[in-house]
Amino acid sequence: MSSFDKIRTRIAPSPTGFLHLGTARTALYSWAYARHHGGEFVLRIEDTDVARSTQDSVDQIIEAMNWLGLHYDEGPIYQMQRLERYQAVLEQLIAAGRAYRCYATPEELTAMREAQKARGEKTLYDRRWRPEPGKVLPAPPEGVKPVIRFANPIDGDVSWDDLVKGPIKIKNREIDDLIIARADGVPTYNFAVVVDDWDMKISHVFRGDEHVNNTPWQINIFNALGAPLPRFGHLPIILGDDGLKLSKRRGAVSVMDYAANGYLPEAMLNYLARLGWSHGDDELFSAEQMVGWFDGTHLSKSPAQWDPAKLDWVNAHYVKQIDEARLAALVVEQLAGKGVAVSVEQVQPKVGLFKDRCATVAALAEWLVMYFAPVSPAAEDLAVHVTDAVRPAISTLAEKLSALTDWNKSSIQQALKETLTASGLKMPQLAVPVRVAVCGRAQTPSLDAVLELFDKKKVLERLQGL
Ligand code: GLU
């Protein structure tokens, strides 16, 4: 890294909504790359679209970054607080003849493009306001506020070695003199991003594929400013399971929606990491491991496919693995969302029996709610399983359970066995109706283990209420 003292990366979201999964993946790669090299990671807020940017979105983005554990070393830096700096750099470019004011009206530009189309040409700005040797420019029209355009090199190529896509080369002839400041003086994305990346000494820019067409302009602007060029890496898009770009219309795309639905941050990180990067065959790894491995190689060129089943598989792994007190606290939050108020102490002893069968904390809460709120067995389950043939056995079981002095798995098992012997029923004929009555569902883990975690009183009430 000759031009940079340190590896510095950034994530530069526009605060026009929540943190999107694609942006979260870019943030993760940027963060991991900086951490891998002992560098720094910056959060920049690209809020020049004033009409659509909100502080609420900034807060949501920061909340999601914190939830994922993507801690930044600097920021948030707001572009709208840097307008003076952009202004100064614009003036510098104008003075150097690398930018100029353009007074063309929207109508004139439309007419220009129509004429180009009619001639079968590519629609590019025709440089009518660009000062050039021997060219006489018209007098600036009254009452038209000019935009500022970058004087893009006319000849030659612009090229870079993309960290993801490899070498890319574009002819300058293919790109035109970009508007770098609007008539109201606010800089456009391609200009502000360059000034920022320059000022913030960003050595590596990871971003979505959709920006790859902007990079030639940005490189030319860097060069015009005499600023060192960062390395660029354009990450392929993420496709939904229907093969189309992942979007709100096709399921949850907000990181915090996944938090709300019972996904764990380490699972999201792990899953996002694999969407476009690999380390051998490793599928399950920690953020620390990723940091150790993430050196900017093994980035995939092809679009990644969002796979909810795989995310569930990864999440299930972490649900099993994390500390049960933390898991219980997350269940408490999920239950609170269902209007069921309980404490971690109440929940924690119960998570162990169910966590292995749950992909998410929400699914775990779905199981545990039976311990804390009334159950409502489906009428169909009652009709099918709680038949007159088994009612006497259920009463017998209730009596035997009621008589137990020690309420534990083996005493409950004993009561079940004695009831089977007395009634001549087989275990499923008794166990299923008991499950329906007590748990509100026909299938559960081992019945003695499930019942042990209930208050005896509650079990008896539910059996007697049949
Ligand atoms: N604000 C841009 C975006 O959210 C940032 C692009 C970049 O990283 O340069 O897409």
Side-chain angles (χ1 to χ4, degrees):
M1 277 285 89
S2 50
S3 323
F4 297 93
D5 310 336
K6 260 190 227 151
I7 300 290
R8 294 198 12 123
T9 62
R10 61 9 173 230
I11 185 71
S14 304
T16 54
F18 47 73
L19 186 69
H20 187 282
L21 294 169
T23 312
R25 180 189 59 171
T26 307
L28 170 61
Y29 288 8
S30 306
W31 170 86
Y33 192 74
R35 291 285 171 270
H36 176 84
H37 290 284
E40 286 157 1
F41 172 56
V42 179
L43 171 62
R44 179 167 80 223
I45 302 294
E46 302 208 327
D47 55 352
T48 56
D49 183 349
V50 180
R52 294 175 59 227
S53 298
T54 66
Q55 186 58 42
D56 186 47
S57 296
V58 175
D59 295 344
Q60 288 188 48
I61 289 166
I62 291 175
E63 186 194 10
M65 301 257 303
N66 285 337
W67 181 72
L68 288 169
L70 300 180
H71 302 301
Y72 39 90
D73 304 291
E74 267 171 45
I77 297 166
Y78 293 82
Q79 288 190 321
M80 286 307 282
Q81 291 175 7
R82 289 177 40 79
L83 292 181
E84 275 178 30
R85 170 68 180 148
Y86 304 131
Q87 205 53 51
V89 180
L90 283 169
E91 290 305 332
Q92 185 187 323
L93 280 177
I94 293 173
R98 300 306 310 269
Y100 59 95
R101 295 190 168 80
C102 167
Y103 295 86
T105 61
E107 295 72 30
E108 286 167 358
L109 293 173
T110 310
M112 174 196 78
R113 280 190 288 265
E114 291 305 321
Q116 287 168 335
K117 275 191 212 151
R119 293 194 297 271
E121 294 169 9
K122 197 169 170 183
T123 53
L124 294 176
Y125 175 66
D126 60 6
R127 302 199 291 268
R128 58 183 64 186
W129 284 95
R130 175 162 166 162
E132 278 167 302
K135 177 170 169 187
V136 181
L137 292 175
E142 290 279 315
V144 178
K145 280 205 169 173
V147 299
I148 296 174
R149 287 186 184 267
F150 175 63
N152 199 67
I154 294 169
D155 300 313
D157 298 320
V158 46
S159 63
W160 75 98
D161 187 10
D162 197 272
L163 284 162
V164 182
K165 295 169 167 295
I168 298 181
K169 194 195 255 185
I170 308 285
K171 290 193 182 348
N172 275 319
R173 202 170 342 110
E174 301 283 316
I175 59 180
D176 56 5
D177 285 0
L178 181 78
I179 296 177
I180 55 175
R182 297 192 296 251
D184 62 5
V186 177
T188 59
Y189 159 71
N190 277 299
F191 177 70
V193 87
V194 170
V195 177
D196 288 347
D197 286 339
W198 179 29
D199 286 354
M200 293 165 204
K201 300 185 167 51
I202 300 302
S203 63
H204 291 74
V205 170
F206 290 96
R207 62 183 165 212
D209 225 359
E210 67 274 19
H211 288 292
V212 74
N213 293 334
N214 289 319
T215 304
W217 277 308
Q218 293 183 19
I219 290 177
N220 285 336
I221 298 172
F222 272 106
N223 289 337
L225 292 169
L229 273 186
R231 291 285 313 264
F232 296 94
H234 292 90
L235 304 167
I237 58 168
I238 303 175
L239 301 174
D241 41 14
D242 52 3
L244 297 168
K245 188 176 177 187
L246 196 66
S247 77
K248 208 173 177 178
R249 267 175 293 131
R250 286 187 275 277
V253 287
S254 152
V255 170
M256 292 315 283
D257 280 355
Y258 285 88
N261 291 332
Y263 290 84
L264 298 170
E266 46 272 73
M268 286 307 283
L269 271 195
N270 189 155
Y271 179 72
L272 287 170
R274 286 284 293 105
L275 276 183
W277 171 77
S278 58
H279 179 264
D281 292 333
D282 291 307
E283 290 292 355
L284 297 167
F285 44 80
S286 66
E288 291 70 32
Q289 284 174 302
M290 180 187 180
V291 164
W293 298 332
F294 197 87
D295 61 1
T297 63
H298 301 287
L299 290 161
S300 167
K301 287 185 176 53
S302 37
Q305 181 95 31
W306 187 260
D307 179 351
K310 183 171 171 196
L311 172 61
D312 279 0
W313 175 75
V314 174
N315 203 60
H317 165 79
Y318 289 97
V319 167
K320 278 193 204 107
Q321 213 187 41
I322 66 168
D323 178 62
E324 288 193 355
R326 182 178 151 212
L327 189 57
L330 293 170
V331 170
V332 167
E333 277 175 32
Q334 289 283 338
L335 289 175
K338 296 176 188 287
V340 178
V342 276
S343 68
V344 173
E345 290 68 32
Q346 286 172 286
V347 170
Q348 194 172 334
K350 306 189 193 329
V351 297
L353 182 60
F354 299 93
K355 66 178 185 178
D356 286 2
R357 54 181 69 215
C358 295
T360 64
V361 182
L364 183 53
E366 219 25 81
W367 273 110
L368 296 184
V369 71
M370 66 185 175
Y371 290 105
F372 307 107
V375 290
S376 27
E380 199 193 323
D381 280 343
L382 288 171
V384 174
H385 301 292
V386 188
T387 58
D388 287 343
V390 299
R391 279 180 192 279
I394 294 173
S395 300
T396 310
L397 178 68
E399 278 162 28
K400 290 190 185 296
L401 291 177
S402 157
L404 293 181
T405 43
D406 278 340
W407 183 253
N408 59 43
K409 222 171 121 171
S410 68
S411 64
I412 295 168
Q413 179 65 15
Q414 190 55 36
L416 283 163
K417 277 194 185 140
E418 286 172 19
T419 307
L420 293 181
T421 313
S423 64
L425 294 177
K426 296 257 181 305
M427 187 57 122
Q429 291 172 299
L430 177 64
V432 175
V434 172
R435 287 185 167 109
V436 169
V438 179
C439 309
R441 52 168 101 200
Q443 283 168 352
T444 70
S446 168
L447 185 57
D448 49 0
V450 170
L451 293 184
E452 178 191 42
L453 299 175
F454 272 100
D455 270 349
K456 177 165 128 180
K457 218 172 106 226
K458 200 168 273 179
V459 173
L460 296 177
E461 268 166 26
R462 291 183 187 175
L463 289 179
Q464 284 152 1
L466 280 178

